């Protein structure tokens, strides 16, 4: 059987399958060749393409799940984009593998050249760093400018707080020296650091006569600093770095943009207390509705009716505890949509395969039952029904 050289591989087709009976790997490979034969014409015959080296060695991983067999298929190709997608679509038409009814669904088509490009880029960076005696004039100029700006760092008060020019009426307060350096590079000179999370007496005194903007990291530590500083000094504005980012790692444009987005302290506190109250109300609502749902024969009949109704639509229907519809959404966006829906979701009926990411998202919102045809993961918290 021909193999495609790793050098010539362009795409990798990843597919999931499930079959109603016990299967072996040759059954799957035989179905791929046999049941796609003649579908796309002689030029795209999978058996011939493999002989010509345009399709590589097909890998199949499978496992038994009760009476069913589930698994994944990996098909490397040296074909172009359109031909590869045609092969992938043809594979999804297979309805039997060996003696068993089955279903194959394409998970994704991967451009394997992307990883090569990433390697080339990273390797090129390392090689460039290793070039001896070579410097870019622009880099030299930028280094001189940065050096000139950071040379303006001063120290203020008995606590020797790192700062820039703080003679003006407005002052930006940050956490540490690295934050001061980064703001100076961005052209923000009226900055001073607390040198930690504890508010220094010098900044408390400055807040009595200057307009203070507190600029903190976009993490839990930043929120704690806001709480501490606003309780012990007069703060006028709050600016926060993007979620998960620190002030010292922001680019110049990001620094200026976030400072422009600063909000008055009163407005920040109002928003924060509202969000906290809303979050608590949501949690109370969920706790009030955690009554375990009973799936009897009548309920199963209704769920099966909904499942049949959306068959082939690629949709997911979200139901409450009384099996009344909350919303119908695309099954492809299910994972990202669940957390954005305010209502309590008890049951999900979907057209498609249930993956581990879908199960995790459903568990997070307190869902109790998922109804689908195919399951590629299990759960100890959810009831998984295939009706």
């Amino acid at each position: 059987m021909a193999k495609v050289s790793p050098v010539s591989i362009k795409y990798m087709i990843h597919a999931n399958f499930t079959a109603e009976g016990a299967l072996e790997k040759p059954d799957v490979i035989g179905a791929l060749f046999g049941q796609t034969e003649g579908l796309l014409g002689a030029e795209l015959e999978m058996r011939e393409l493999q002989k010509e080296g345009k399709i590589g060695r097909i890998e199949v991983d499978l496992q038994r799940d009760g009476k069913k067999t589930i698994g994944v298929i990996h098909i490397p190709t040296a074909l172009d984009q359109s031909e590869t997608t045609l092969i992938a679509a043809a594979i999804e038409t297979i309805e039997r593998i060996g003696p068993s009814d089955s279903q194959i669904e394409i998970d994704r088509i991967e451009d394997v050249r992307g990883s090569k490009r990433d390697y080339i880029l990273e390797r090129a960076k390392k090689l460039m760093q290793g070039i001896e005696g070579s410097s870019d004039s622009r880099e030299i100029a930028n280094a001189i400018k940065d050096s000139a700006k950071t040379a303006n760092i001063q120290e203020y008060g008995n606590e020797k707080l790192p700062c820039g020019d703080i003679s003006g009426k407005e002052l930006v307060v940050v956490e540490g020296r690295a934050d001061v350096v980064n703001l100076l590079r961005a052209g923000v000179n009226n900055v001073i650091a607390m040198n930690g999370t504890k508010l220094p007496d010098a900044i408390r005194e400055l807040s009595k006569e200057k307009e203070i903007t507190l600029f903190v990291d976009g993490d839990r530590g930043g929120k704690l600093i806001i709480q501490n500083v606003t309780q012990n000094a007069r703060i006028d504005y709050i600016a926060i770095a993007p979620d998960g980012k620190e002030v010292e790692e922001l680019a110049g444009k990001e620094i200026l943009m976030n400072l422009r987005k600063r909000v008055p302290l009163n407005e920040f506190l109002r928003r924060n207390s509202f969000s906290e109250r809303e979050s608590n109300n949501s949690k109370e609502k969920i706790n009030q509705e955690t009554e375990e749902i009973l799936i009897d024969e009548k309920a199963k009949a209704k769920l099966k009716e909904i499942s049949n109704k959306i068959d082939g639509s690629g949709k997911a229907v979200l139901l409450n505890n009384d099996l009344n519809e909350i919303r119908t959404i695309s099954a492809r966006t299910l994972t990202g949509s669940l957390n954005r829906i305010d209502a309590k979701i008890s049951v999900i009926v979907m057209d498609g395969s249930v993956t581990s990411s879908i199960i995790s998202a459903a568990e997070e919102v307190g869902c109790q039952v998922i109804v689908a045809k195919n399951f590629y993961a299990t759960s100890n918290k959810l009831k998984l029904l295939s009706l």
Side-chain angles (χ1 to χ4, degrees):
M1 190 174 290
K3 293 184 180 180
V4 176
S5 165
V7 177
S8 64
I9 291 175
K10 296 180 182 178
Y11 302 100
M12 180 72 75
I13 301 172
H14 300 274
N16 300 319
F17 73 89
T18 180
E20 297 300 325
L23 297 176
E24 300 294 337
K25 292 182 181 180
D27 298 325
V28 179
I29 295 173
L32 293 176
F33 288 134
Q35 295 188 44
T36 58
E37 189 173 358
L39 283 178
L40 303 175
E43 293 182 356
L44 291 179
E45 201 72 59
M46 284 188 64
R47 198 182 303 275
E48 295 302 318
L49 289 173
Q50 193 173 64
K51 290 179 181 178
E52 296 170 7
K54 294 181 179 179
I55 286 182
R57 181 181 179 85
I58 300 172
E59 299 291 340
V60 178
D61 297 318
L62 51 78
Q63 62 182 35
R64 293 293 302 277
D65 183 11
K67 294 181 180 180
K68 295 183 178 180
T69 301
I70 60 175
V72 293
I73 304 168
H74 307 287
I75 306 175
T77 84
L79 303 168
D80 61 26
Q81 237 178 38
S82 59
E83 292 171 333
T84 299
T85 53
L86 281 171
I87 293 294
I91 290 169
E92 284 194 332
T93 65
I94 296 173
E95 297 178 346
R96 292 185 68 83
I97 299 177
S100 306
D101 292 335
S102 63
Q103 182 176 353
I104 298 179
E105 184 178 273
I106 300 301
D107 179 37
R108 69 187 190 281
I109 299 177
E110 176 188 5
D111 185 346
V112 298
R113 296 170 298 180
S115 59
K116 293 181 182 178
R117 283 191 289 266
D118 292 341
Y119 166 79
I120 292 170
L121 181 60
E122 292 302 317
R123 183 58 179 156
K125 289 179 182 178
K126 291 181 180 179
L127 292 174
M128 180 175 288
Q129 292 171 359
I131 297 177
E132 298 180 1
S134 175
S135 293
D136 183 18
S137 59
R138 187 177 300 174
E139 290 180 1
I140 294 173
N142 289 336
I144 294 172
K145 290 178 183 178
D146 286 348
S147 177
K149 290 176 181 177
T150 54
N152 292 329
I153 292 184
Q154 305 171 33
E155 293 182 345
Y156 179 80
N158 295 330
E159 294 141 315
K160 296 184 178 180
L161 304 176
C163 64
D165 180 5
I166 60 173
S167 59
K169 293 183 179 180
E170 297 183 5
L171 187 60
V172 178
V173 176
V174 293
E175 182 178 344
R177 179 184 177 87
D179 300 335
V180 173
V181 172
N182 203 22
L183 264 68
L184 290 175
R185 286 174 178 162
V188 180
N189 298 315
N190 57 327
V191 58
I192 188 169
M194 298 190 299
N195 263 356
T197 58
K198 184 178 179 181
L199 180 68
D201 293 334
I203 293 181
R204 184 182 294 108
E205 293 302 316
L206 285 171
S207 72
K208 296 177 181 179
E209 58 187 52
K210 295 182 182 292
E211 181 182 276
I212 302 292
T213 296
L214 180 61
F215 192 11
V216 299
D217 299 338
D219 55 15
R220 184 173 179 274
K223 293 179 181 178
L224 293 176
I225 290 174
I226 292 174
Q227 184 178 355
N228 174 44
V229 174
T230 55
Q231 289 175 354
N232 294 282
R234 187 184 63 80
I235 302 299
D236 299 282
Y237 296 96
I238 301 293
I240 304 179
D243 287 346
K245 283 194 173 184
E246 298 180 359
V247 174
E248 66 182 75
E249 65 185 20
L250 297 179
K253 290 182 179 179
E254 290 179 300
I255 290 173
L256 299 177
M257 180 179 66
N258 283 279
L259 285 174
R260 282 197 294 269
K261 290 181 178 179
R262 66 181 187 171
V263 296
L265 176 62
N266 290 337
E267 182 179 346
F268 173 83
L269 294 177
R270 179 177 60 80
R271 289 181 184 177
N272 190 56
S273 61
F274 174 79
S275 298
E276 186 175 349
R277 183 168 62 252
E278 183 180 47
S279 175
N280 290 336
N281 289 341
S282 297
K283 289 178 181 177
E284 289 175 6
K285 182 178 179 183
I286 288 174
N287 289 335
Q288 291 170 359
E289 298 180 357
T290 53
E291 180 183 352
E292 186 175 354
I293 188 169
L294 177 63
I295 304 296
D296 53 17
E297 292 304 318
K298 184 178 179 181
K300 286 183 179 180
K302 183 173 182 179
L303 294 175
K304 187 171 184 179
E305 181 182 349
I306 297 172
S307 178
N308 291 337
K309 186 176 179 180
I310 63 171
D311 187 27
S313 67
K315 300 289 185 181
V317 181
L318 312 181
L319 308 173
N320 62 18
N321 227 42
D322 298 322
L323 301 186
N324 294 324
E325 181 177 336
I326 299 171
R327 190 177 301 179
T328 297
I329 61 176
S330 170
R332 293 181 181 273
T333 62
L334 182 61
T335 302
S337 300
L338 288 179
N339 281 322
R340 296 195 293 268
I341 297 174
D342 294 333
K344 175 67 177 70
I345 302 166
S346 296
V347 181
I348 299 171
V349 183
M350 63 175 288
D351 175 46
S353 300
V354 177
T355 61
S356 57
S357 59
I358 291 176
I359 287 178
S360 297
E363 290 176 347
E364 287 181 8
V365 298
C367 178
Q368 299 182 47
V369 181
I370 297 181
V371 179
K373 290 183 178 179
N374 304 314
F375 294 92
Y376 293 133
T378 59
S379 171
N380 294 325
K381 299 179 181 179
L382 296 173
K383 190 170 185 178
L384 308 179
L385 295 179
S386 180
L387 301 177

